[in-house]
């Protein structure tokens, strides 16, 4: 029976849990808190303190106990009993949002007319439905949906089924600005020997502060005191708006706590002494730029083995101990020793505070790195320089990274902007063996890379002064060829021409006249030479063009260059006009026949041009004749004949042209020759103009006679 009742109770609780609304939080402070000011709420004292390195911290005390000490970093959230704190940005003060869990002070039945009054506040229920309730808070009307909360100032109303819960939050009290603040990061520690705890005192006063330093309590057999710049002190003087750091020195012999007083500030540090190896780490927080390697000294004192183990390291970071030569994981000491704690920070480390930890002999230690500059998301820049084995820059080379391929500058350099990552760099140049390098680039990193290329054992280049040679049938022509040995070894080259017709000859010569024939070209590494290819066509070669190929071959392969050989013949062109003269009335038109002939070779692409008086309309139809003359087809030399050609010169004289004789010059220009002729044009006036002239003369005589008579009468 008891088991059944327990099960029913659990079922009822499970059934009712979803309908319970979580108790609301009310924001009681939203604004900026300056160093030296403090806020009090919920039994907590909240203030901003500054460490010796300039970093600002939010300190939360409950009485004399420090319950929270956080770097002031945007977005940090702190959960306390009944209090929530959210940190904003820090600019000449820290922006805070503080919310508290309010107290339930009244339960009003969800009925119109119900009310409650407290501390000068009045709550009234105006109207109620199954979905919402209308309430008045100090005369301000609000709609309160069921199972929800409405906040007015420090009052929160919660509507659950048939009850309206009334909550009231505690006000935040802000203390006036203090003259100074005291900051120390260590609240409790374990040590194997003497310990020095840094305490930073920051003055906000406009005048010099003098603060007494006092040890309130400590175990009787401990040696405890304040040290400043190597001296025991019991008072500290701080210049206006400045700070100073004193050391709380303690030589413990067991477990206990040290209470101290600086001015009217009271603090406490709990210390526990361990036997074995004493470890001293002078720096608790270090500011650094991303991409750097931070080194912090660690001192050891005692006898025995030291075992170092990294515990909490952010992704991409590295942390290790070194003695300057080796990375250390364990070592022995007798008396005292030291090592460096090395922290390698990636270039993409995020801004702000990073907490790292490690263990020495099973005991955990902490160190903080505050990143004030990062390269996260920034592209990397890679500078590549190509050099030969002598150290000289390679001016004609290429560098390929991923899908980017760049030609180097005259200094042998190429610059790439790349996303962070690992890349394979490929470098190559004519006459050199290609090479690959692997490289890793971090965010925003600028890295220089020198790549040395070795010459290929056999490599050469060739250059023709001209790839076109003109030769008259029965005569000789020459091609001027330069060969350069770019390989690291001596080489020998052969030169051939492919594509010549039967009956043609060629030879290789050291001089342009062909008097020093050679069969091959021998070149030492790095040297060059100019040779001549003498080409001799037969007497029967016909005018035209031959497309051939010059082939140079060495041990490293072959190179070919297309060449054109033009066979030059004798050409002429004749242009005649029929008739050579013509008579045209002003405003009229006429035509003259033009005849083109060539009795030596074929003239191609003949175009006409004319010179005529201004305002005349003159043209030749057609304006172009493809070919004129005759030739034969002989083997690969292909020239097609065209015979005699004719055209028509069309002339139109403007009406305003005066009578007279004019000359029109016609020129025919072809690829091989040109000719010209002239046409005389006699322009006469039309009969209409003649009659008009007679009438003008008669009118003029009549006007003269009339004037004479008028004058005679007078």
């Amino acid at each position: 029976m008891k088991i059944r009742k327990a099960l029913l109770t659990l079922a009822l609780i499970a059934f009712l849990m979803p309908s319970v609304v979580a108790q609301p939080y009310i924001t009681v402070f939203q604004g900026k808190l300056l160093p030296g000011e403090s806020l009090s709420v919920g039994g907590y004292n909240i203030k901003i303190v500054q460490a010796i390195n300039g970093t600002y911290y939010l300190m939360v005390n409950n009485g004399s106990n420090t319950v929270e000490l956080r770097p002031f970093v945007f977005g940090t959230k702190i959960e306390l009993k009944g209090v929530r704190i959210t940190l904003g940005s820090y600019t000449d003060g820290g922006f805070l949002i503080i919310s508290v869990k309010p107290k339930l002070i009244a339960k009003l039945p969800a009925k119109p007319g119900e009310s409650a009054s407290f501390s000068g506040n009045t709550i009234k229920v105006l109207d109620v439905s199954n979905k919402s309730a209308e309430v008045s808070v100090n005369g301000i009307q609000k709609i309160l949906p069921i199972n929800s909360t409405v906040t007015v100032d420090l009052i929160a109303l919660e509507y659950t089924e048939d009850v309206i819960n009334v909550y009231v939050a505690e006000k935040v009290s802000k203390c006036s600005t203090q003259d100074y603040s005291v900051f120390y990061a260590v609240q409790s520690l374990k040590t194997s020997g003497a310990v020095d705890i840094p305490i930073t005192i920051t003055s906000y006063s406009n005048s010099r502060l003098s603060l007494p330093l006092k040890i309130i309590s400590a175990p009787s057999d401990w040696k405890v005191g304040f040290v400043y710049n190597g001296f025991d002190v019991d008072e500290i003087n701080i210049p206006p708006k400045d700070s100073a750091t004193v050391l709380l020195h303690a030589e413990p012999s067991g477990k206990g706590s040290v209470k101290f007083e600086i001015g009217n500030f009271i603090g406490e540090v709990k210390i526990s002494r361990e036997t074995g190896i004493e470890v001293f780490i002078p720096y608790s927080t270090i500011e650094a730029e991303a991409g750097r390697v931070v080194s912090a000294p660690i001192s050891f004192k005692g006898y025995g083995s030291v075992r170092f183990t990294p515990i909490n390291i952010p992704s991409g970071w590295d942390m290790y101990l070194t003695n300057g030569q080796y990375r250390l994981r364990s070592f022995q000491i007798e008396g005292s020793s030291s090592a460096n704690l090395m922290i390698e920070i990636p270039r993409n480390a995020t801004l702000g505070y990073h907490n790292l930890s490690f263990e020495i002999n099973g005991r955990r230690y902490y160190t903080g790195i505050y990143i004030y500059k990062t390269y996260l998301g920034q592209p990397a820049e890679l500078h590549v320089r190509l050099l030969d084995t002598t150290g000289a820059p390679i001016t004609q080379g290429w560098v390929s990274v991923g899908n980017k391929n760049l030609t180097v500058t005259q200094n042998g350099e190429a610059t790439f902007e790349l996303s962070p990552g690992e890349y394979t760099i490929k470098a190559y140049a004519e006459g050199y063996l290609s090479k690959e390098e692997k490289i890793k680039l971090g965010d925003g990193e600028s890295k220089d890379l020198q790549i040395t290329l070795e010459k290929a054992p056999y490599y050469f280049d060739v250059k023709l002064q001209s790839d076109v040679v003109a030769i008259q049938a029965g005569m000789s022509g020459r091609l001027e060829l330069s060969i350069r040995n770019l390989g690291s070894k001596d080489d020998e080259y052969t030169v051939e021409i492919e594509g010549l017709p039967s009956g043609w000859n060629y030879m290789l010569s050291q001089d342009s006249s062909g008097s020093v024939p050679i069969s091959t070209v021998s070149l030492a590494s790095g040297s060059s030479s100019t040779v001549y290819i003498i080409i001799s066509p037969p007497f029967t070669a016909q005018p035209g063009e031959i497309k051939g190929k010059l082939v140079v071959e060495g041990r490293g392969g072959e190179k070919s260059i297309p060449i054109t050989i033009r066979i030059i013949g004798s050409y002429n062109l004749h242009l005649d006009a029929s008739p050579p003269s013509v008579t045209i009335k002003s405003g009229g038109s006429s035509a003259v026949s033009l005849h083109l002939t060539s009795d030596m070779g074929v003239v191609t692409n003949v175009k006409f041009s004319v010179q005529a008086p201004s305002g005349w309309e003159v043209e030749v139809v057609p304006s172009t004749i493809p070919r004129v003359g005759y030739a034969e087809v002989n083997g690969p030399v292909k020239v097609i004949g065209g015979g005699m050609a004719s055209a028509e010169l069309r002339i139109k004289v403007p009406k305003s042209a005066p009578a007279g004789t004019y000359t029109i010059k016609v020129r025919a220009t072809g690829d091989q020759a040109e000719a010209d002729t002239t046409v005389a044009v006699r322009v006469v006036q039309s009969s209409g103009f003649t009659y008009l002239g007679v009438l003008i003369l008669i009118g003029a005589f009549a006007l003269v006679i009339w004037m004479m008579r008028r004058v005679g009468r007078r």
Side-chain angles (χ1 to χ4, degrees):
M1 190 66 179
K2 291 182 179 180
I3 295 175
R4 185 176 180 182
K5 287 183 178 179
L7 291 174
L8 289 173
T9 301
L10 289 174
L12 181 60
I13 293 173
F15 176 77
L16 292 175
M17 280 183 66
S19 65
V20 177
V21 178
Q23 185 176 352
Y25 270 78
I26 297 178
T27 298
V28 295
F29 180 83
Q30 182 170 320
K32 185 178 289 188
L33 184 65
L34 301 176
E37 296 179 337
S38 64
L39 300 173
S40 296
V41 63
Y44 299 103
N45 182 265
I46 302 166
K47 59 184 175 180
I48 294 176
V49 295
Q50 187 178 14
I52 187 174
N53 61 3
T55 303
Y56 289 96
Y57 285 76
L58 185 76
M59 176 182 285
V60 182
N61 292 328
N62 187 355
S64 61
N65 296 324
T66 300
V67 295
E68 286 289 346
L69 184 63
R70 301 278 192 95
F72 209 100
V73 178
F74 181 87
T76 300
K77 295 183 178 180
I78 300 173
E79 288 279 352
L80 303 169
K81 186 177 180 181
V83 178
R84 291 176 180 171
I85 305 173
T86 302
L87 305 188
S89 60
Y90 191 96
T91 305
D92 298 328
F95 188 85
L96 295 176
I97 298 176
I98 301 176
S99 301
V100 300
K101 185 180 290 186
K103 294 180 180 180
L104 178 64
I105 65 167
K107 287 180 175 287
L108 292 177
K111 296 178 181 180
E114 294 291 335
S115 65
S117 297
F118 54 91
S119 303
N121 298 299
T122 301
I123 311 297
K124 292 182 180 181
V125 181
L126 303 178
D127 195 9
V128 176
S129 68
N130 57 356
K131 294 183 178 180
S132 63
E134 183 178 358
V135 296
S136 170
V137 181
N138 294 328
I140 301 173
Q141 294 184 4
K142 293 287 184 179
I143 299 298
L144 181 60
I146 194 168
N147 295 327
S148 66
T149 303
V150 169
T151 302
V152 179
D153 295 330
L154 299 179
I155 300 172
L157 303 178
E158 179 185 60
Y159 181 21
T160 58
E161 294 184 355
D162 57 350
V163 175
I164 297 177
N165 296 320
V166 181
Y167 298 91
V168 176
E170 176 188 352
K171 290 183 179 180
V172 171
S173 59
K174 189 173 186 181
C175 300
S176 59
T177 303
Q178 301 175 0
D179 288 338
Y180 63 94
S181 66
V182 178
F183 169 79
Y184 61 101
V186 179
Q187 305 296 316
S188 63
L189 59 90
K190 293 181 179 180
T191 180
S192 57
V195 64
D196 290 307
I197 302 168
I199 302 174
T200 301
I201 308 166
T202 303
S203 171
Y204 307 112
S205 175
N206 293 321
S207 58
R208 178 179 294 271
L209 287 180
S210 179
L211 300 175
L213 309 176
K214 179 181 179 182
I215 302 297
I216 298 175
S217 64
S220 58
D221 57 343
W222 290 16
K223 182 180 178 181
V224 182
F226 289 99
V227 177
Y228 181 72
N229 288 340
F231 298 97
D232 293 337
V233 293
D234 55 12
E235 187 176 6
I236 186 76
N237 289 315
I238 305 174
K241 300 292 182 67
D242 204 349
S243 63
T245 298
V246 298
L247 299 178
L248 176 62
H249 178 80
E251 297 179 10
S253 59
K255 185 177 181 181
S257 64
V258 177
K259 286 187 178 181
F260 59 91
E261 185 177 16
I262 299 176
N264 57 8
F265 175 86
I266 297 176
E268 182 179 8
V269 177
K270 297 178 180 179
I271 303 175
S272 176
R273 178 182 173 87
E274 293 182 341
T275 59
I277 305 297
E278 297 180 7
V279 180
F280 175 65
I281 305 172
Y283 307 120
S284 59
T285 303
I286 301 173
E287 287 192 354
E289 178 182 337
R292 303 289 185 179
V293 178
V294 174
S295 175
I298 299 181
S299 300
F300 303 93
K301 186 177 180 180
Y303 297 87
S305 176
V306 175
R307 297 179 305 278
F308 174 83
T309 306
I311 299 298
N312 179 33
I313 308 174
S315 176
W317 295 50
D318 194 12
M319 180 169 60
Y320 53 91
L321 276 185
T322 177
N323 63 353
Q325 185 176 6
Y326 305 106
R327 290 176 63 142
L328 306 175
R329 278 302 179 99
S330 63
F331 54 95
Q332 300 290 326
I333 64 169
E334 293 184 1
S336 62
S337 182
S338 64
N340 288 320
L341 176 66
M342 309 298 293
I343 301 172
E344 295 182 2
I345 307 170
R347 298 181 66 84
N348 61 352
T350 56
L351 294 173
Y353 182 81
H354 298 264
N355 188 28
L356 288 73
S357 63
F358 53 90
E359 287 185 356
I360 296 178
N361 292 347
R363 179 184 171 186
R364 182 159 304 188
Y365 296 85
Y366 297 89
T367 186
I369 301 294
Y370 185 84
I371 304 299
Y372 63 86
K373 182 178 181 181
T374 184
Y375 301 92
L376 176 64
Q378 297 183 17
E381 194 170 70
L382 174 64
H383 304 278
V384 182
R385 191 176 189 209
L386 297 189
L387 304 175
D388 60 20
T389 52
T390 67
I394 297 175
T395 60
Q396 295 181 347
W398 300 266
V399 180
S400 177
V401 182
N403 59 354
K404 296 182 179 180
N405 189 30
L406 295 181
T407 302
V408 297
T409 65
Q410 289 300 313
N411 295 324
E413 298 175 347
T415 299
F416 297 84
E417 188 175 277
L418 303 165
S419 299
E422 296 184 0
Y423 294 92
T424 298
I425 316 299
K426 298 179 182 179
Y428 45 98
E430 287 192 8
Y432 293 86
L433 298 175
S434 61
K435 192 174 183 180
E436 290 187 0
E437 298 272 359
K438 292 189 179 298
I439 196 169
K440 184 176 181 180
L441 298 172
D443 296 59
E445 185 175 12
S446 181
K447 186 169 286 189
D448 296 324
L449 177 65
Q450 287 193 170
I451 300 179
T452 301
L453 298 182
E454 295 182 1
K455 283 189 175 182
Y458 298 104
Y459 190 83
F460 67 97
D461 68 2
V462 295
K463 183 180 180 181
L464 274 177
Q465 187 181 35
S466 175
D467 58 359
V468 178
V469 59
I471 308 173
Q472 192 170 352
M475 304 295 288
S476 296
R478 67 176 180 270
L479 291 169
E480 184 176 330
L481 174 69
S482 296
I483 305 175
R484 185 170 56 160
N485 184 358
L486 299 174
S488 60
K489 296 185 178 181
D490 299 347
D491 204 352
E492 188 175 27
Y493 308 95
T494 60
V495 181
E496 295 182 354
I497 295 180
E498 297 179 355
L500 290 179
S502 176
W504 287 60
N505 293 306
Y506 68 91
M507 63 175 289
L508 191 64
S509 175
Q510 285 185 349
D511 67 333
S512 60
S513 64
S515 60
V516 186
I518 55 177
S519 58
T520 60
V521 181
S522 297
L523 291 176
S525 172
S527 65
S528 61
S529 178
T530 299
V531 296
Y532 301 88
I533 302 96
I534 311 299
I535 305 172
S536 302
F539 287 97
T540 57
Q542 295 296 317
E545 286 190 353
I546 297 173
K547 300 294 184 181
K549 184 168 63 175
L550 182 69
V551 180
V552 182
E553 185 174 1
R555 290 186 179 91
E558 69 175 32
K559 295 183 182 295
S560 62
I561 304 174
I563 60 174
T564 300
I565 303 173
R566 292 178 179 168
I567 309 303
I568 302 173
S570 299
Y571 304 93
N572 59 25
L573 187 64
H574 303 283
L575 177 62
D576 299 308
S578 179
S581 64
V582 65
T583 300
I584 307 173
K585 292 181 179 181
S586 58
S589 62
S590 184
V592 175
S593 296
L594 301 175
H595 302 288
L596 277 171
T597 58
S598 173
D599 53 11
M600 295 181 65
V602 175
V603 179
T604 58
N605 296 323
V606 180
K607 298 180 180 179
F608 291 97
S609 60
V610 295
Q611 293 180 0
S614 176
W616 290 37
E617 297 181 15
V618 182
E619 64 175 340
V620 178
V621 181
S623 60
T624 302
I625 295 176
R627 52 187 174 270
V628 180
Y630 293 94
E632 297 179 356
V633 177
N634 181 14
V637 183
K638 298 180 181 180
V639 179
I640 301 174
M644 183 177 68
S646 299
E648 185 177 73
L649 175 65
R650 298 175 181 178
I651 308 168
K652 185 176 181 180
V653 180
K655 291 180 180 181
S656 60
T661 301
Y662 300 86
T663 299
I664 297 176
K665 185 176 181 180
V666 183
R667 171 162 291 185
T669 304
D671 293 335
Q672 295 80 16
E674 63 180 19
D676 53 39
T677 188
T678 58
V679 176
V681 181
R682 181 169 173 266
V683 177
V684 297
Q685 297 292 337
S686 62
S687 57
F689 284 101
T690 302
Y691 296 143
L692 179 60
V694 173
L695 290 175
I696 292 172
L697 288 174
I698 292 172
F701 279 116
L703 179 61
V704 171
I705 293 170
W706 178 78
M707 291 292 293
M708 291 177 63
R709 288 181 177 179
R710 290 288 299 266
V711 173
R713 287 177 182 176
R714 293 180 183 179

